[in-house]
Amino acid sequence: MLVKGYSLPRVVERDDYAAIRDRIIGLSRLHGLRPDWVETTRRQRFLLLWDAGGRVAARAIVPLYPGETPQLVDSLEEGLAHLFGDGWLKD
């Protein structure tokens, strides 16, 4: 199911913040979630994903420089797998 006017990026580079962000936004829309970027530091952004009932479905830290912190990317991928499925960042 695709949202009108939006398609998921075909290739997501694990060291590219914009590609990771776009993937999260696209998958959130497909799953009926609303992403809310609530806090930003120099190195990372804190993300809340809200469900249709107004509850927080997930919290995540998204690194702004994922190439420098691959362990945070791994943690992000594992942390959102319950919503988006295993390998959501690779597909």
Side-chain angles (χ1 to χ4, degrees):
M1 174 172 94
L2 290 178
V3 175
K4 184 178 179 182
Y6 190 87
S7 63
L8 294 176
R10 293 225 184 270
V11 176
V12 175
E13 298 294 333
R14 291 180 63 85
D15 61 351
D16 181 7
Y17 166 77
I20 293 171
R21 179 203 61 216
D22 291 348
R23 184 72 164 183
I24 290 170
I25 291 169
L27 287 169
S28 295
R29 289 178 180 169
L30 289 175
H31 291 273
L33 302 169
R34 182 178 56 86
D36 186 13
W37 304 94
V38 295
E39 181 180 317
T40 301
T41 68
R42 280 195 229 166
R43 297 294 221 209
Q44 58 197 20
R45 294 183 80 186
F46 187 67
L47 168 70
L48 295 176
L49 294 173
W50 297 87
D51 67 13
R55 294 176 300 269
V56 174
R59 294 172 177 84
I61 294 173
V62 181
L64 289 172
Y65 304 100
E68 296 175 7
T69 54
Q71 69 278 8
L72 278 180
V73 177
D74 292 341
S75 177
L76 173 66
E77 187 171 21
E78 292 169 15
L80 297 180
H82 72 285
L83 293 174
F84 301 146
D86 291 332
W88 65 268
L89 193 53
K90 296 177 185 105
D91 295 338

